[in-house]
Amino acid sequence: MKPSIVYPVLLSVLLTRGLCASFIKVNHGMKVMKGQSAFLSESDLQFSIPREKDACKVEVVVNEPITQRVGRLTPQVFDCHFLANEVQYTHNGCPILDEDEVMLRLYRFTETETFTETFLLRVKLIEPDCNIIQLGPKKLEVPEFYGLSDVIDKNILSFDYDKRINIECTIRISSSESFLPAHGQLVTGDPVKQEPRGDQPHSFFHGSNQKPGPLCKNGGCIQGLKRIQSVIKMSCEDFLVKGIRYQHLDPPSPNVDYISIRLDLTDSRSKSLYKSEHAWIPVLIRDAVPNQIPKANFMSMFILEVDQFVLTPISTATLDAEDSETAKHLLVFNITLPPSKGFITHLSDHTKPITSFTWKDLNEMLIAYQPPNSSHTERRNLEVEFEVHDFFFEKSPPITVHISIRTADTNAPRVSWNMGLDLLEGQSRPITWKQFQIVDNDNINAVRLVIVDGLQHGRITLRGGKGFIFTVKDIQAGDVCYHHDDSDTTKDFIVFRIFDGRHSIRHKFPINILPKDDSPPFLITNIVIELSEGQAVLIEGSMLCASDMDSSDAYIRFNITKPSVAGEIIKKPGQNLIAYPVTSFLQRDLYNGFIYYRHLGGEVFEDSFDVVLSDSHDPPNFSGPQAVIIHISPVDDQLPIEAPGTVRHLMVKENEVVYITKKQLHFIDPESPERELIYTVATPPCMVPTYSSLDAGKIVLVDTILKLGKDYAGDTARTFSQHAVNHLKVAYIPPAKDIGPTPLHVQFILSVSNQHGGTVQGICFNITILPIDNQPPEVFSYDLKVEEGGFSQITASNIHITDKDTRQEQIKVILHKAPLHGIVQLDGSALQEGDPFTCLDLITLKVPS
């Protein structure tokens, strides 16, 4: 079935308002696969307005329900010289219609005038070659009124797509938006068979010939079922195993109802939408009849009485229709034959004619007839012809409404024509007689207009100066001018009090403002980017996102004015394509998952880059600079290193306890704090080069020692941190016993580890223990036997001298008292009292007696 079209008579009325020739150069319409989306291109639609000459905008007319029946064109306002992939038509998956229409209104703005042209863009809907959503092989069917279908599973529905790891498939159902299913609801659970009670007749239960009760219309006549909320979203796999059924609720209904679903394939890494598809799942209702056409409700009069010049609302008392299968608020009235004089309009903007409207707007008295602005002396009779379309696009026979325009019998001033103003944001326009006309039977020259309300986004001037009261002649001469304040607004109005000295009325004059691309984009999301050192991370659209009130968000450009220090911004336009650094990127690149931040592996863990946003306008509008912050987490890719100047050697006196400082032991790791650098004593202190088992001292942590000294007998430290070394918490205690006269060399082996487990083994630490001469020699003497007149050698056997901390050759013996009956000689010379000799002299037999 084809959609109804706007008839040529009415279309010609729309085309001739405010212009003398068409600005449309090409209008071939567009082709869209059912259930999918397509972008409008210049080969589909093109205008004969040079880019550099005048501003030009296209607006999607949204209050025409006979258009865009099965899809939507977005955005609502776009430039005549639109970009590729900017204007998109999305089909909702309806299988019934093969064509759709979009009503567009073209605005051309010169410095002094606004030209408008309303036209239709036809959309041809094509069966796709391959769908992700596949129906069958089994059909969803309800066996009877108020019945229940089988569950929706892989026999009813399947999804054919490339099941890659990073692709998420979700199903969304919104009954409140689609009004589907129209005659039932979606439920889960298994029906519970209700056993009859003894006090109830058999005919009480479902399946009897009696009319079902209210519980059935609410879905409560089958126990054990749970109604699904109006909006659900789940994974494709869960949707097919959840056990969803269709429950019929509303006979009489057509023999086919539908379930509207939307499938989204999303990149799990970037959260960007990879592909989207819509479908209507048919539900066959057994024993129901095909959809019936709507018909006129003959309770209405189909006659409208109108006063001359007076905008008159149309109510359901004048025009009404009904359909047993479609709710009234979903009925659409299409004007197939407009009135020959005047026009039908919507009170949301009564300056423009309409070609269709909904029953809901009719019931709320938002639809009106605007009589012509020509006066007459006798009653006029006109006819308007309508068709009524139901929810599934069946249409009624023509319905004729008779309009009778009465003559005016009043001397009060009246507004005979009010077309409002259309202008571009920031522009000025005169209010002319072509747009605003006033009549007065007895004295038009006495009529005055006073501004009493409105002007929220602009001001009025009279002949270039301030003005708030003016005459009809001022309007006819074009001396009354409206000036917009250049704010980002789309509507304004003026309320006039119009009086002639005796009579007074109030009237609202609407002003429609088309947006101008004069505002820069602005960031709405700027989340800190986090990654590990040396890695690359995808910058998702949810992390960095901008918006522009005047142009397409997809074409917002991020210009990098201050590059990052520790990394770079790269673009990878495909999975198997090479990534390359960029200095700017589009927001659609973020949506498509093409933009990455790559850390270069240096030891910088706080980074940022500055961006300035620009739009697609020529010349572009630029935002201020914005900083994007990056946090890099260090990884275990480096080992601790020794700080320059570290000696790893300690000199200590044997009777002292000495601290190990960072001058002797200092390792650093830029990725680990000092507390996380841990030393482990692999080999405790030992003598070198003998590596004997003798006591070689110990390493201790002074935090655990109340009184530090050589007599400390506690445990040695096995581990300690660099922080402890830096704060003098680690000490070395030399051996408890005297080391002797020579320095002692001690060594112990360490390893150091960072918080990530990186370890440096085999760190050798040397200690030199210096002796202290603080012990007196010990002397043992033995008798010397000498024959009378003879001599005898004094040896170490006669005088035995020991000293733990002095070498033998450094020990001196002083002859304190000479023998009474002999002499002591050294190398043949007699020693006098006070003369010395050494232990070595005794050993070398140089001291005879």
Side-chain angles (χ1 to χ4, degrees):
M1 181 185 296
K2 295 184 179 180
S4 293
I5 62 173
V6 179
Y7 276 65
V9 176
L10 180 57
L11 189 58
S12 65
V13 173
L14 302 178
L15 290 176
T16 55
R17 292 188 63 239
L19 50 90
C20 56
S22 176
F23 296 121
I24 302 170
K25 183 178 180 181
V26 173
N27 185 6
H28 293 154
M30 59 187 304
K31 296 179 180 180
V32 182
M33 298 287 184
K34 289 185 179 180
Q36 300 181 19
S37 302
F39 288 102
L40 188 66
S41 68
E42 285 192 351
S43 61
D44 302 326
L45 182 64
Q46 202 174 128
F47 305 99
S48 57
I49 301 173
R51 181 190 297 269
E52 61 279 356
K53 187 174 182 181
D54 295 324
C56 177
K57 296 286 183 180
V58 180
E59 178 186 28
V60 180
V61 180
V62 295
N63 63 345
E64 289 283 357
I66 201 64
T67 64
Q68 300 193 92
R69 300 297 311 267
V70 291
R72 284 289 178 268
L73 190 75
T74 56
Q76 187 182 347
V77 179
F78 55 91
D79 197 88
C80 291
H81 307 284
F82 52 88
L83 302 172
N85 301 338
E86 180 183 3
V87 183
Q88 184 181 44
Y89 177 89
T90 302
H91 185 249
N92 67 8
C94 172
I96 302 173
L97 299 184
D98 295 326
E99 284 187 359
D100 198 5
E101 293 170 332
V102 180
M103 184 175 288
L104 300 174
R105 184 171 290 122
L106 170 71
Y107 295 88
R108 180 178 183 177
F109 303 97
T110 67
E111 289 298 322
T112 57
E113 290 187 85
T114 300
F115 299 97
T116 64
E117 181 175 356
T118 304
F119 62 97
L120 290 173
L121 176 73
R122 300 195 182 278
V123 182
K124 185 176 182 181
L125 304 173
I126 305 171
E127 293 293 339
D129 297 331
C130 56
N131 273 351
I132 299 175
I133 303 173
Q134 302 282 338
L135 300 178
K138 185 179 176 182
K139 293 185 178 182
L140 199 62
E141 187 176 10
V142 178
E144 58 185 345
F145 289 163
Y146 301 106
L148 196 64
S149 73
D150 293 333
V151 297
I152 300 175
D153 56 16
K154 291 183 179 180
N155 293 316
I156 304 293
L157 196 65
S158 60
F159 308 116
D160 183 16
Y161 66 95
D162 183 11
K163 296 178 174 61
R164 288 180 285 174
I165 297 176
N166 59 323
I167 292 294
E168 294 179 354
C169 179
T170 56
I171 291 290
R172 184 178 184 270
I173 297 178
S174 179
S175 302
S176 57
E177 293 177 8
S178 64
F179 302 106
L180 291 174
H183 303 283
Q185 66 181 8
L186 299 180
V187 296
T188 58
D190 295 319
V192 177
K193 188 174 181 180
Q194 189 177 5
E195 295 295 332
R197 297 204 314 260
D199 59 345
Q200 292 175 336
H202 180 71
S203 61
F204 179 84
F205 296 95
H206 185 66
S208 70
N209 294 324
Q210 294 198 15
K211 185 177 179 181
L215 280 179
C216 286
K217 285 190 174 291
N218 295 330
C221 58
I222 302 179
Q223 301 298 318
L225 300 180
K226 182 180 179 182
R227 182 175 180 269
I228 293 179
Q229 56 188 352
S230 60
V231 179
I232 61 171
K233 184 178 180 180
M234 64 184 72
S235 71
C236 297
E237 292 77 9
D238 291 345
F239 181 76
L240 296 178
V241 298
K242 191 173 179 62
I244 298 175
R245 303 171 185 263
Y246 172 91
Q247 183 183 13
H248 185 253
L249 297 178
D250 189 25
S253 65
N255 56 354
V256 181
D257 199 358
Y258 295 92
I259 302 169
S260 175
I261 67 171
R262 169 180 162 178
L263 179 144
D264 290 332
L265 296 181
T266 308
D267 190 323
S268 59
R269 301 165 302 171
S270 64
K271 306 303 180 185
S272 60
L273 187 62
Y274 174 70
K275 194 170 184 181
S276 184
E277 192 171 290
H278 297 73
W280 284 18
I281 306 172
V283 183
L284 305 180
I285 302 168
R286 194 179 299 173
D287 299 330
V289 296
N291 186 32
Q292 302 298 301
I293 62 173
K295 57 185 178 180
N297 187 338
F298 292 103
M299 296 296 291
S300 300
M301 299 291 294
F302 302 103
I303 297 174
L304 181 66
E305 291 281 342
V306 179
D307 289 324
Q308 185 177 343
F309 306 132
V310 177
L311 180 69
T312 306
I314 304 173
S315 70
T316 53
T318 299
L319 173 67
D320 200 2
E322 59 186 10
D323 188 278
S324 59
E325 301 151 329
T326 298
K328 272 199 168 185
H329 71 277
L330 297 176
L331 294 176
V332 173
F333 290 80
N334 185 30
I335 304 170
T336 56
L337 182 65
S340 57
K341 301 289 184 180
F343 57 87
I344 308 295
T345 186
H346 195 288
L347 292 183
S348 62
D349 184 3
H350 66 264
T351 66
K352 297 178 176 64
I354 59 173
T355 65
S356 61
F357 53 89
T358 64
W359 181 91
K360 181 176 181 292
D361 288 342
L362 177 68
N363 185 56
E364 294 175 359
M365 299 188 72
L366 295 176
I367 308 303
Y369 170 70
Q370 172 64 59
N373 60 342
S374 57
S375 60
H376 50 89
T377 58
E378 57 185 18
R379 182 182 288 264
R380 288 185 180 182
N381 295 310
L382 306 173
E383 289 185 353
V384 187
E385 191 175 277
F386 301 90
E387 285 178 349
V388 184
H389 295 243
D390 68 10
F391 187 67
F392 294 116
F393 316 112
E394 290 288 349
K395 62 183 180 181
S396 70
I399 302 172
T400 302
V401 172
H402 301 274
I403 300 175
S404 181
I405 306 174
R406 295 186 292 255
T407 58
D409 186 18
T410 178
N411 292 326
R414 288 158 295 159
V415 176
S416 62
W417 195 247
N418 179 2
M419 291 295 99
L421 274 183
D422 294 310
L423 70 157
L424 190 64
E425 177 186 315
Q427 283 190 332
S428 301
R429 286 286 184 271
I431 301 175
T432 65
W433 193 248
K434 180 179 172 181
Q435 294 140 352
F436 195 53
Q437 299 178 15
I438 300 167
V439 294
D440 190 285
N441 283 343
D442 52 357
N443 191 0
I444 189 68
N445 293 325
V447 173
R448 297 291 183 270
L449 294 89
V450 180
I451 300 172
V452 295
D453 198 3
L455 291 178
Q456 297 175 342
H457 307 291
R459 59 188 176 87
I460 288 290
T461 60
L462 178 62
R463 289 184 287 277
K466 291 183 178 179
F468 68 94
I469 182 169
F470 35 88
T471 66
V472 172
K473 287 185 178 180
D474 293 330
I475 296 178
Q476 291 172 337
D479 293 335
V480 182
C481 191
Y482 171 82
H483 306 266
H484 185 243
D485 61 6
D486 207 17
S487 60
D488 289 324
T489 49
T490 59
K491 299 289 181 184
D492 203 356
F493 66 93
I494 307 169
V495 176
F496 295 111
R497 186 169 71 87
I498 305 171
F499 63 95
D500 61 1
R502 296 178 59 191
H503 307 93
S504 177
I505 63 170
R506 290 168 69 97
H507 198 85
K508 183 177 179 181
F509 182 78
I511 300 170
N512 184 38
I513 301 151
L514 272 292
K516 180 176 64 176
D517 193 357
D518 61 349
S519 300
F522 56 91
L523 273 180
I524 56 176
T525 306
N526 185 5
I527 298 176
V528 173
I529 299 171
E530 297 181 341
L531 73 159
S532 297
E533 178 187 349
Q535 288 187 344
V537 63
L538 180 69
I539 303 178
E540 301 175 7
S542 59
M543 298 162 58
L544 189 63
C545 184
S547 183
D548 192 337
M549 299 176 65
D550 303 324
S551 59
S552 172
D553 288 352
Y555 284 88
I556 295 174
R557 182 171 292 277
F558 291 75
N559 303 283
I560 302 172
T561 57
K562 180 184 175 184
S564 63
V565 175
E568 59 184 355
I569 303 300
I570 59 174
K571 181 176 179 179
K572 188 177 182 183
Q575 187 172 5
N576 299 319
L577 300 178
I578 298 174
Y580 54 91
V582 293
T583 57
S584 68
F585 53 88
L586 296 175
Q587 179 145 290
R588 68 176 183 179
D589 294 332
L590 292 173
Y591 294 159
N592 293 328
F594 292 165
I595 305 301
Y596 294 77
Y597 169 82
R598 178 167 62 192
H599 186 246
L600 298 178
E603 302 305 310
V604 178
F605 304 113
E606 294 292 331
D607 200 4
S608 66
F609 62 93
D610 288 358
V611 294
V612 170
L613 308 178
S614 62
D615 58 17
S616 56
H617 188 257
D618 186 18
N621 298 300
F622 291 98
S623 73
Q626 304 279 344
V628 181
I629 306 301
I630 304 161
H631 288 171
I632 300 109
S633 301
V635 298
D636 184 17
D637 61 347
Q638 287 197 357
L639 298 176
I641 58 173
E642 191 169 41
T646 305
V647 295
R648 268 192 283 136
H649 181 258
L650 186 66
M651 295 190 69
V652 56
K653 296 179 180 180
E654 64 172 325
N655 62 341
E656 293 179 352
V657 176
V658 67
Y659 295 104
I660 300 176
T661 69
K662 67 177 184 178
K663 181 179 180 181
Q664 290 95 31
L665 185 62
H666 189 196
F667 275 74
I668 57 175
D669 187 337
E671 300 171 0
S672 299
E674 293 175 345
R675 294 182 183 275
E676 302 296 336
L677 283 180
I678 304 299
Y679 293 96
T680 301
V681 180
T683 303
C686 60
M687 306 290 185
V688 290
T690 59
Y691 294 99
S692 67
S693 59
L694 297 176
D695 180 19
K698 62 180 71 174
I699 306 296
V700 296
L701 286 172
V702 300
D703 277 349
T704 61
I705 302 174
L706 296 177
K707 184 179 179 181
L708 185 62
K710 284 191 64 173
D711 56 348
Y712 172 70
D715 296 332
T716 61
R718 301 296 299 174
T719 61
F720 54 89
S721 67
Q722 182 66 54
H723 181 270
V725 173
N726 296 350
H727 291 79
L728 304 181
K729 303 296 184 182
V730 183
Y732 171 73
I733 300 177
K737 294 183 179 180
D738 201 296
I739 66 169
T742 59
L744 187 64
H745 296 286
V746 173
Q747 189 179 81
F748 64 94
I749 308 300
L750 294 163
S751 65
V752 59
S753 304
N754 58 24
Q755 61 180 336
H756 306 294
T759 303
V760 179
Q761 306 278 359
I763 303 170
C764 181
F765 193 97
N766 295 296
I767 302 173
T768 300
I769 306 173
L770 301 177
I772 299 298
D773 191 1
N774 59 352
Q775 300 290 333
E778 292 183 352
V779 181
F780 299 92
S781 60
Y782 300 94
D783 292 339
L784 177 66
K785 294 181 180 181
V786 181
E787 292 182 0
E788 184 179 350
F791 75 93
S792 180
Q793 198 73 32
I794 301 174
T795 67
S797 300
N798 304 112
I799 302 175
H800 182 66
I801 302 171
T802 60
D803 193 330
K804 294 181 178 180
D805 47 22
T806 306
R807 293 176 181 274
Q808 289 286 328
E809 61 270 18
Q810 294 177 341
I811 299 175
K812 293 182 179 181
V813 181
I814 299 174
L815 183 61
H816 185 65
K817 184 178 181 181
L820 296 176
H821 306 288
I823 60 173
V824 178
Q825 294 180 333
L826 177 63
D827 288 335
S829 299
L831 295 176
Q832 304 297 321
E833 290 183 0
D835 289 340
F837 60 90
T838 66
C839 287
L840 187 60
D841 294 334
L842 295 175
I843 296 172
T844 56
L845 306 176
K846 290 184 177 182
V847 186
S849 174

